[in-house]
């Protein structure tokens, strides 16, 4: 997926430049409504980037790029090398697997209509609900927030 885009190195370089500029930008002088808007805009970017990251991790798992590193999976490798929590790495691996299995999910994350965090929470809730034979009120309330076509991804 990522190697098919012309100038992908330019995309990564641009992303790094944009993040560096955002980090260096002082927020203290911004108006309240601008801060609110930027908080939400950054969250949207983070959700979409989590999807990109999950897709890359899934590709690393598919290619077994972690083999020979002393780790048991791509998620274990990510946790060990990037110094992230094992739970976060496993969560990202599950999202990557889900993205690989569902075009609807991949499209929803790409266009920003669904957050990566919501998808993981939904999958966790529905799998535990299936195991228990019932759904919690919280899990059922999530269904009303998103279109049914995305809930079946």
């Amino acid at each position: 997926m990522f190697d098919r885009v012309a100038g992908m190195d330019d995309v990564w370089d641009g992303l790094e430049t944009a993040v560096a500029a955002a980090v260096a930008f002082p927020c203290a002088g911004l108006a309240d409504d601008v801060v609110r808007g930027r908080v939400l805009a950054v969250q949207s970017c983070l959700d979409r980037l989590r999807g990109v990251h999950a897709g890359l991790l899934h590709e690393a798992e598919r290619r077994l790029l972690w083999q020979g590193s002393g780790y048991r999976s791509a998620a274990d490798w990510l946790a060990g090398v990037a110094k992230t929590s094992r739970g976060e790495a496993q969560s990202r691996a599950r999202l990557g697997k889900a993205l690989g299995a569902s075009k609807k999910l991949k499209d929803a994350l790409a266009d920003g209509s669904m957050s990566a965090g919501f998808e993981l929470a939904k999958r966790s809730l529905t799998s535990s609900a299936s195991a228990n034979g019932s759904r919690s009120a919280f899990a059922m309330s999530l269904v009303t927030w998103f279109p049914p076509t995305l809930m079946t991804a």
Side-chain angles (χ1 to χ4, degrees):
M1 169 178 142
F2 299 106
D3 58 347
R4 289 184 234 145
V5 178
M8 202 60 211
D9 287 340
D10 292 337
V11 171
W12 296 120
D13 290 345
L15 178 61
E16 289 178 10
T17 301
V19 169
V23 167
F25 191 84
C27 298
L30 298 175
D32 292 352
D33 59 330
V34 173
V35 172
R36 273 191 291 276
R38 298 248 168 100
V39 165
L40 297 174
V42 168
Q43 184 63 51
S44 177
C45 288
L46 288 171
D47 287 340
R48 294 172 80 188
L49 283 172
R50 281 186 194 99
V52 171
H53 189 234
L56 287 167
L57 186 60
H58 181 64
E59 184 64 15
E61 181 69 47
R62 188 186 71 74
R63 295 183 190 189
L64 304 175
L65 297 179
W66 50 270
Q67 282 191 336
S69 66
Y71 295 99
R72 296 177 297 188
S73 68
D76 285 343
W77 168 81
L78 176 63
V81 173
K83 305 296 184 219
T84 190
S85 73
R86 190 164 186 265
E88 176 68 21
Q90 289 173 332
S91 174
R92 197 64 41 88
R94 285 190 301 273
L95 177 60
K97 186 176 180 179
L99 287 167
S102 171
K103 182 173 178 354
K104 280 194 269 185
L105 174 58
K106 188 182 233 177
D107 291 347
L109 280 169
D111 70 19
S113 62
M114 178 182 285
S115 79
F118 168 76
E119 177 54 27
L120 290 173
K122 187 212 34 134
R123 286 185 183 272
S124 173
L125 286 168
T126 55
S127 65
S128 65
S130 297
N132 295 336
S134 65
R135 293 185 183 209
S136 71
F138 176 70
M140 293 307 290
S141 71
L142 290 176
V143 174
T144 63
W145 290 9
F146 293 92
T149 55
L150 293 178
M151 295 300 293
T152 60

